[in-house]
Amino acid sequence: DTVEVGLNGISATIILTDSIQCNGDSATIDVITSGYFGWYSYSLNYQDSLGNLYTLSQQTTYDTATFTMLPANTYQVLVSDTSMLCNIQTSIIITQPNSLSLIMSSDTIICNGGTPSSLSANSGVSGSYIWNPSTYLINANVQNPSFSSGLTSSETYIVTFTDANGCNATDSVIIWVNP
């Protein structure tokens, strides 16, 4: 994503150089400035839920400022020449995907030696599933693995789901064996 503005002889372009791939991650922006010979002062401000702006970071550089570790939010960048005679303001909205969640089968109680129903996990998006431990599972790398035999002890089965962006969600199902 790129946002570009020009005013008072100064031009500023915000480039989202590293976007947020997973919920809760952070982004990086570059602010590239031209139109004035010399150094620029950059003030990065963020907007709270009430619309108030707060200064997050300030830099002075020759033509490009890089701001890292930015969570999803609305950011405003104020760029000034070092004499403070010319300035320009621009903004960018950094978004993030929804958090991943899993809908799981319920914890189950079975009799000693009984074979439980298949385990079940659903994320609502495409991706891969890995169940651990894989003991007694016919295929531990599917969404709904079946058991190959009965169980004689209780076990917690943990599933890790990974989506196309490499984002993960983890949950578990307990199979209780009643002696």
Side-chain angles (χ1 to χ4, degrees), residues 104-111 113-121 131-159 172-177:
M104 304 292 294
S105 51
S106 299
D107 294 348
T108 304
I109 300 173
I110 62 169
C111 293
T115 303
S117 300
S118 295
L119 297 172
S120 174
W131 291 86
N132 281 302
S134 58
T135 309
Y136 303 114
L137 297 178
I138 293 173
N139 184 350
N141 297 325
V142 295
Q143 184 175 354
N144 303 312
S146 298
F147 285 86
S148 59
S149 64
L151 302 179
T152 57
S153 64
S154 299
E155 187 71 67
T156 300
Y157 288 89
I158 300 169
V159 63
S172 63
V173 174
I174 301 172
I175 307 295
W176 298 97
V177 175

Side-chain angles (χ1 to χ4, degrees), residues 31 37 44 47 51-52 56 63-64 80 87 107-108 113 119 123 174:
V31 183
F37 183 74
L44 178 68
Q47 188 172 351
N52 300 312
L56 179 66
D63 62 1
T64 302
S80 302
N87 59 59
D107 294 348
T108 304
L119 297 172
S123 67
I174 301 172

